[in-house]
Amino acid sequence: MINKKTGLGREIIKDLPTIFSICKVDDKIYLGTKTGVYLYTKNKLSYLGDRLPLLKSRIDDIVFANNQLFIATKGNGVLVYNESSSLASYTEREGLASNMAKFLSTDKHGNIWVGTNRGISRLKKTSNNYYKVNTINLSEGLVSSEINQLLIHDSILFFATNKGLGQINIKQAFNEGVI
């Protein structure tokens, strides 16, 4: 609630580690912090890392798509969490560019785009909530492998790096007619 006299908001949660991301799903707010994922709902805070140890790592971004939370971690790749408390993990082993995921974005086709410190990965939904991972990096024409943010517009993927802004045609980069 904002104080109308001062214009300032009030603090609702104290003594949390640094918060890097916030994602609202219905009446729940998920907080990605330096020490993992917290859930704030009905004026109560809980730490999801107590039940699921993978959710204890640094969280840089959280997005909600395809009825699941996608969580970008520092060191554990991308975690996919649903409310039944199941957790899937996409790492370098599954083809992710790096386990150091920095930024997540979605497109109109239900794909999840991941900016990492070593390129861009796409999690393309196949069947049964499984995702196929495709990656592009310097050898495919990125201007820098350190990806800070992504934007998808039609079939063009824009990416922000420490060296500037780049773009690629998704259909051409992945040799496919439909993204």
Side-chain angles (χ1 to χ4, degrees):
M1 167 113 33
I2 295 178
N3 181 318
K4 292 184 182 191
K5 290 181 182 180
T6 65
L8 299 175
R10 68 177 172 91
E11 185 174 58
I12 57 173
I13 302 172
K14 294 182 181 187
D15 302 322
L16 267 180
T18 303
I19 299 170
F20 296 107
S21 63
I22 298 173
C23 182
K24 184 177 185 313
V25 180
D26 299 324
D27 65 342
K28 299 174 177 130
I29 298 174
Y30 294 90
L31 306 171
T33 75
K34 186 176 182 178
T35 61
V37 178
Y38 289 82
L39 171 61
Y40 180 73
T41 185
K42 299 177 183 168
N43 296 318
K44 183 179 176 188
L45 184 69
S46 58
Y47 181 58
L48 298 183
D50 288 337
R51 287 186 292 122
L52 299 163
L54 282 176
L55 296 178
K56 289 183 175 183
S57 59
R58 176 179 160 155
I59 308 300
D60 275 351
D61 203 5
I62 303 174
V63 298
F64 184 73
N66 307 327
N67 294 313
Q68 300 172 325
L69 281 178
F70 291 81
I71 303 167
T73 73
K74 288 282 192 222
N76 290 317
V78 176
L79 305 176
V80 183
Y81 174 78
N82 67 39
E83 301 211 328
S84 66
S85 296
S86 70
L87 192 66
S89 176
Y90 290 86
T91 64
E92 292 175 22
R93 184 178 18 225
E94 288 76 32
L96 203 65
S98 171
N99 290 337
M100 304 293 271
K102 297 173 66 176
F103 184 80
L104 300 170
S105 187
T106 61
D107 66 26
K108 65 183 178 182
H109 303 288
N111 298 316
I112 309 302
W113 295 87
V114 185
T116 76
N117 65 327
R118 286 191 274 167
I120 300 169
S121 293
R122 176 185 66 178
L123 279 64
K124 184 173 184 172
K125 189 172 183 178
T126 58
S127 60
N128 301 326
N129 288 329
Y130 176 78
Y131 294 84
K132 179 182 178 192
V133 180
N134 302 100
T135 294
I136 52 177
N137 53 36
L138 289 173
S139 64
E140 282 84 28
L142 295 183
V143 295
S144 171
S145 58
E146 186 82 26
I147 307 301
N148 297 319
Q149 194 162 20
L150 302 166
L151 172 73
I152 296 98
H153 179 70
D154 295 328
S155 63
I156 302 297
L157 174 66
F158 295 91
F159 50 96
T161 74
N162 295 344
K163 293 184 178 181
L165 179 67
Q167 74 176 36
I168 58 171
N169 182 300
I170 296 167
K171 293 175 185 176
Q172 290 175 343
F174 291 105
N175 295 319
E176 42 190 60
V178 177
I179 63 172

